[in-house]
Amino acid sequence: SLIDKGVLEFVKASNFEASVVKAALPCKLFLKKKGSVMKARMVAGGHRQPRLPMEETSSPTVMISTVMASMQIVTTSNMFTCIADVETAYLNADNSNEELMYIGREEAKHFIKVRPDLSEYLDNNGRLLCVIVKALYGLQQSAKLWYGHMSKTLDTLGYKPTIEDPCAFVKTLFGKTSIILAHVDDFL
């Protein structure tokens, strides 16, 4: 998904001053075998980012009172419910900050196996340097970027947030009302 979704843009370390490369964020690659498929999750070292103001990082989640009220409406109106999870949700949101991140020697080996052409980006220490162009897990601002992307997408589909709860989206079409409650990347 990282490569398919264009999350990372690989760059050559020689194109940057040494101090810029030294300040690049570290990352951690978590590998997990699921059946015959190897799953990987990359997390950026957002703890090394300069501390961002709360308004640039905080993201709302649906209030429990909204969930309770919505369930009451669903029950009394004979509506039905379903749940959904957005896979690799954060990776859908653009990251306008475009931080530099380095991928350590061991993690870089996994990338080279999948994409041998990336070997041209290896630095002298066997690491890969890249620009993070999507909201990667671990970045301080990723939750807010995802919420912005999600709410904009729901708006284009005709869903509007309620005044009481920015994570409760409502749409009425042909006399039928649908409600989406969002808790990060889970929908009810």
Side-chain angles (χ1 to χ4, degrees), residues 58-123:
S58 66
S59 173
T61 57
V62 68
M63 296 183 293
I64 190 67
S65 58
T66 303
V67 174
M68 300 300 282
S70 297
M71 291 300 103
Q72 176 96 28
I73 292 167
V74 166
T75 304
T76 58
S77 301
N78 210 19
M79 298 168 80
F80 69 93
T81 61
C82 60
I83 57 172
D85 174 63
V86 180
E87 288 189 25
T88 63
Y90 282 13
L91 307 185
N92 292 296
D94 292 329
N95 177 24
S96 57
N97 294 356
E98 296 191 350
E99 279 92 359
L100 274 180
M101 179 179 76
Y102 67 84
I103 299 170
R105 185 179 309 141
E106 290 305 311
E107 288 88 355
K109 289 177 185 176
H110 295 288
F111 276 85
I112 302 299
K113 275 184 195 172
V114 176
R115 291 259 319 269
D117 60 304
L118 292 177
S119 60
E120 72 176 279
Y121 295 101
L122 289 170
D123 70 6

Side-chain angles (χ1 to χ4, degrees), residues 50-58 140:
R51 177 63 68 200
L52 296 174
M54 186 68 132
E55 63 272 4
E56 291 181 32
T57 61
S58 66
Q140 292 176 33

